[in-house]
Short mmCIF file of all heavy atoms in Angstrom, two decimals:
data_model
loop_
_atom_site.label_atom_id
_atom_site.label_comp_id
_atom_site.label_asym_id
_atom_site.label_seq_id
_atom_site.Cartn_x
_atom_site.Cartn_y
_atom_site.Cartn_z
N ILE A 1198 88.28 99.87 -51.88
CA ILE A 1198 87.72 98.58 -52.29
C ILE A 1198 87.33 97.76 -51.07
O ILE A 1198 87.98 97.80 -50.04
CB ILE A 1198 88.73 97.80 -53.18
CG1 ILE A 1198 88.09 96.55 -53.77
CG2 ILE A 1198 90.00 97.46 -52.42
CD1 ILE A 1198 88.95 95.86 -54.82
N GLY A 1199 86.25 97.04 -51.23
CA GLY A 1199 85.78 96.15 -50.17
C GLY A 1199 84.60 95.35 -50.68
O GLY A 1199 83.98 95.71 -51.68
N MET A 1200 84.30 94.26 -50.01
CA MET A 1200 83.17 93.45 -50.41
C MET A 1200 81.87 94.14 -49.98
O MET A 1200 81.88 95.14 -49.24
CB MET A 1200 83.26 92.05 -49.78
CG MET A 1200 84.57 91.34 -50.09
SD MET A 1200 85.04 91.35 -51.85
CE MET A 1200 83.77 90.27 -52.52
N SER A 1201 80.74 93.61 -50.43
CA SER A 1201 79.44 94.19 -50.07
C SER A 1201 79.28 94.23 -48.55
O SER A 1201 79.60 93.26 -47.87
CB SER A 1201 78.31 93.36 -50.69
OG SER A 1201 78.36 93.41 -52.09
N GLY A 1202 78.81 95.37 -48.05
CA GLY A 1202 78.62 95.53 -46.62
C GLY A 1202 79.85 95.98 -45.86
O GLY A 1202 79.82 96.12 -44.64
N ALA A 1203 80.94 96.26 -46.58
CA ALA A 1203 82.19 96.67 -45.91
C ALA A 1203 82.10 98.09 -45.35
O ALA A 1203 82.86 98.46 -44.46
CB ALA A 1203 83.36 96.57 -46.88
N GLY A 1204 81.20 98.92 -45.92
CA GLY A 1204 81.06 100.30 -45.45
C GLY A 1204 81.60 101.32 -46.42
O GLY A 1204 81.59 102.52 -46.14
N LYS A 1205 82.03 100.88 -47.61
CA LYS A 1205 82.69 101.81 -48.54
C LYS A 1205 81.74 102.86 -49.11
O LYS A 1205 82.12 104.02 -49.27
CB LYS A 1205 83.40 101.04 -49.65
CG LYS A 1205 82.53 100.11 -50.45
CD LYS A 1205 83.35 99.20 -51.33
CE LYS A 1205 82.46 98.36 -52.23
NZ LYS A 1205 81.60 97.43 -51.46
N SER A 1206 80.49 102.48 -49.40
CA SER A 1206 79.53 103.46 -49.93
C SER A 1206 79.13 104.47 -48.86
O SER A 1206 78.94 105.66 -49.15
CB SER A 1206 78.29 102.76 -50.49
OG SER A 1206 78.62 102.08 -51.69
N THR A 1207 79.03 104.02 -47.63
CA THR A 1207 78.77 104.96 -46.53
C THR A 1207 79.93 105.92 -46.38
O THR A 1207 79.75 107.12 -46.15
CB THR A 1207 78.54 104.19 -45.21
OG1 THR A 1207 77.43 103.32 -45.37
CG2 THR A 1207 78.28 105.15 -44.06
N LEU A 1208 81.14 105.41 -46.55
CA LEU A 1208 82.33 106.27 -46.45
C LEU A 1208 82.30 107.38 -47.49
O LEU A 1208 82.56 108.55 -47.18
CB LEU A 1208 83.60 105.42 -46.61
CG LEU A 1208 84.92 106.17 -46.64
CD1 LEU A 1208 85.12 107.02 -45.38
CD2 LEU A 1208 86.09 105.21 -46.82
N VAL A 1209 81.97 107.05 -48.74
CA VAL A 1209 81.98 108.08 -49.78
C VAL A 1209 80.87 109.10 -49.53
O VAL A 1209 81.02 110.29 -49.83
CB VAL A 1209 81.88 107.45 -51.19
CG1 VAL A 1209 80.48 106.98 -51.52
CG2 VAL A 1209 82.34 108.44 -52.25
N ARG A 1210 79.76 108.67 -48.95
CA ARG A 1210 78.67 109.61 -48.64
C ARG A 1210 79.01 110.49 -47.44
O ARG A 1210 78.49 111.58 -47.31
CB ARG A 1210 77.37 108.84 -48.39
CG ARG A 1210 76.80 108.22 -49.67
CD ARG A 1210 75.61 107.31 -49.36
NE ARG A 1210 74.48 108.07 -48.84
CZ ARG A 1210 73.59 108.70 -49.59
NH1 ARG A 1210 73.70 108.69 -50.91
NH2 ARG A 1210 72.60 109.35 -49.03
N CYS A 1211 79.92 110.01 -46.60
CA CYS A 1211 80.41 110.86 -45.51
C CYS A 1211 81.42 111.89 -46.04
O CYS A 1211 81.50 113.00 -45.51
CB CYS A 1211 81.08 110.01 -44.42
SG CYS A 1211 79.93 109.10 -43.37
N ILE A 1212 82.17 111.52 -47.08
CA ILE A 1212 83.17 112.44 -47.63
C ILE A 1212 82.52 113.73 -48.09
O ILE A 1212 83.05 114.83 -47.88
CB ILE A 1212 83.97 111.77 -48.77
CG1 ILE A 1212 84.91 110.69 -48.20
CG2 ILE A 1212 84.78 112.80 -49.56
CD1 ILE A 1212 85.64 109.88 -49.24
N ASN A 1213 81.34 113.62 -48.75
CA ASN A 1213 80.68 114.85 -49.20
C ASN A 1213 79.52 115.27 -48.28
O ASN A 1213 78.71 116.13 -48.64
CB ASN A 1213 80.19 114.71 -50.65
CG ASN A 1213 79.17 113.62 -50.82
OD1 ASN A 1213 78.67 113.03 -49.86
ND2 ASN A 1213 78.84 113.32 -52.07
N TYR A 1214 79.47 114.64 -47.10
CA TYR A 1214 78.50 115.00 -46.06
C TYR A 1214 77.05 114.79 -46.48
O TYR A 1214 76.14 115.41 -45.93
CB TYR A 1214 78.73 116.42 -45.58
CG TYR A 1214 79.38 116.47 -44.20
CD1 TYR A 1214 80.63 115.89 -43.99
CD2 TYR A 1214 78.75 117.06 -43.11
CE1 TYR A 1214 81.23 115.90 -42.74
CE2 TYR A 1214 79.34 117.09 -41.86
CZ TYR A 1214 80.57 116.50 -41.68
OH TYR A 1214 81.16 116.51 -40.43
N LEU A 1215 76.82 113.87 -47.45
CA LEU A 1215 75.45 113.41 -47.65
C LEU A 1215 75.02 112.58 -46.45
O LEU A 1215 73.83 112.50 -46.13
CB LEU A 1215 75.36 112.57 -48.94
CG LEU A 1215 75.47 113.36 -50.25
CD1 LEU A 1215 75.45 112.41 -51.44
CD2 LEU A 1215 74.37 114.39 -50.38
N GLU A 1216 75.99 111.95 -45.80
CA GLU A 1216 75.79 111.34 -44.48
C GLU A 1216 76.67 112.08 -43.49
O GLU A 1216 77.86 112.26 -43.74
CB GLU A 1216 76.18 109.85 -44.49
CG GLU A 1216 75.28 108.94 -45.29
CD GLU A 1216 73.95 108.67 -44.61
OE1 GLU A 1216 73.75 109.12 -43.46
OE2 GLU A 1216 73.11 108.01 -45.25
N LYS A 1217 76.09 112.52 -42.41
CA LYS A 1217 76.87 113.23 -41.40
C LYS A 1217 77.57 112.21 -40.50
O LYS A 1217 76.93 111.33 -39.93
CB LYS A 1217 75.96 114.13 -40.56
CG LYS A 1217 76.74 115.04 -39.62
CD LYS A 1217 75.81 116.00 -38.90
CE LYS A 1217 76.61 116.91 -37.95
NZ LYS A 1217 75.72 117.85 -37.23
N PRO A 1218 78.89 112.29 -40.39
CA PRO A 1218 79.61 111.34 -39.53
C PRO A 1218 79.16 111.42 -38.08
O PRO A 1218 78.76 112.48 -37.59
CB PRO A 1218 81.08 111.79 -39.68
CG PRO A 1218 81.13 112.55 -40.97
CD PRO A 1218 79.79 113.22 -41.09
N THR A 1219 79.24 110.29 -37.39
CA THR A 1219 78.95 110.25 -35.96
C THR A 1219 80.11 110.85 -35.17
O THR A 1219 79.91 111.50 -34.14
CB THR A 1219 78.71 108.79 -35.51
OG1 THR A 1219 77.69 108.22 -36.33
CG2 THR A 1219 78.28 108.74 -34.05
N GLY A 1220 81.32 110.65 -35.67
CA GLY A 1220 82.50 111.21 -35.02
C GLY A 1220 83.63 111.36 -36.01
O GLY A 1220 83.60 110.83 -37.12
N GLY A 1221 84.65 112.12 -35.63
CA GLY A 1221 85.79 112.34 -36.50
C GLY A 1221 85.58 113.51 -37.45
O GLY A 1221 84.58 114.23 -37.38
N LYS A 1222 86.54 113.71 -38.36
CA LYS A 1222 86.52 114.87 -39.25
C LYS A 1222 86.72 114.48 -40.71
O LYS A 1222 87.46 113.54 -41.01
CB LYS A 1222 87.63 115.85 -38.87
CG LYS A 1222 87.44 116.56 -37.54
CD LYS A 1222 88.59 117.53 -37.30
CE LYS A 1222 88.41 118.29 -35.99
NZ LYS A 1222 89.52 119.25 -35.77
N ILE A 1223 86.07 115.24 -41.58
CA ILE A 1223 86.37 115.22 -43.01
C ILE A 1223 86.90 116.61 -43.35
O ILE A 1223 86.20 117.61 -43.19
CB ILE A 1223 85.12 114.94 -43.86
CG1 ILE A 1223 84.47 113.62 -43.48
CG2 ILE A 1223 85.47 115.00 -45.35
CD1 ILE A 1223 85.22 112.40 -43.92
N ILE A 1224 88.14 116.68 -43.79
CA ILE A 1224 88.74 117.96 -44.18
C ILE A 1224 88.93 117.94 -45.69
O ILE A 1224 89.67 117.11 -46.23
CB ILE A 1224 90.08 118.19 -43.45
CG1 ILE A 1224 89.84 118.22 -41.94
CG2 ILE A 1224 90.73 119.50 -43.92
CD1 ILE A 1224 91.09 118.24 -41.10
N PHE A 1225 88.20 118.82 -46.37
CA PHE A 1225 88.25 118.88 -47.82
C PHE A 1225 88.90 120.19 -48.25
O PHE A 1225 88.41 121.27 -47.93
CB PHE A 1225 86.84 118.79 -48.42
CG PHE A 1225 86.82 118.93 -49.92
CD1 PHE A 1225 87.17 117.86 -50.73
CD2 PHE A 1225 86.49 120.13 -50.53
CE1 PHE A 1225 87.17 117.98 -52.11
CE2 PHE A 1225 86.49 120.27 -51.90
CZ PHE A 1225 86.82 119.19 -52.69
N ASP A 1226 90.01 120.07 -48.94
CA ASP A 1226 90.74 121.24 -49.44
C ASP A 1226 90.98 122.26 -48.33
O ASP A 1226 90.81 123.47 -48.52
CB ASP A 1226 89.98 121.88 -50.60
CG ASP A 1226 90.87 122.69 -51.52
OD1 ASP A 1226 92.10 122.47 -51.50
OD2 ASP A 1226 90.35 123.56 -52.24
#
């Protein structure tokens, strides 16, 4: 949860790699 512009929608798009992260890791299963 976060207000508009907090980055939450970008975060969910990074989770499934619709957006490629600039750094760090997403480990799925």
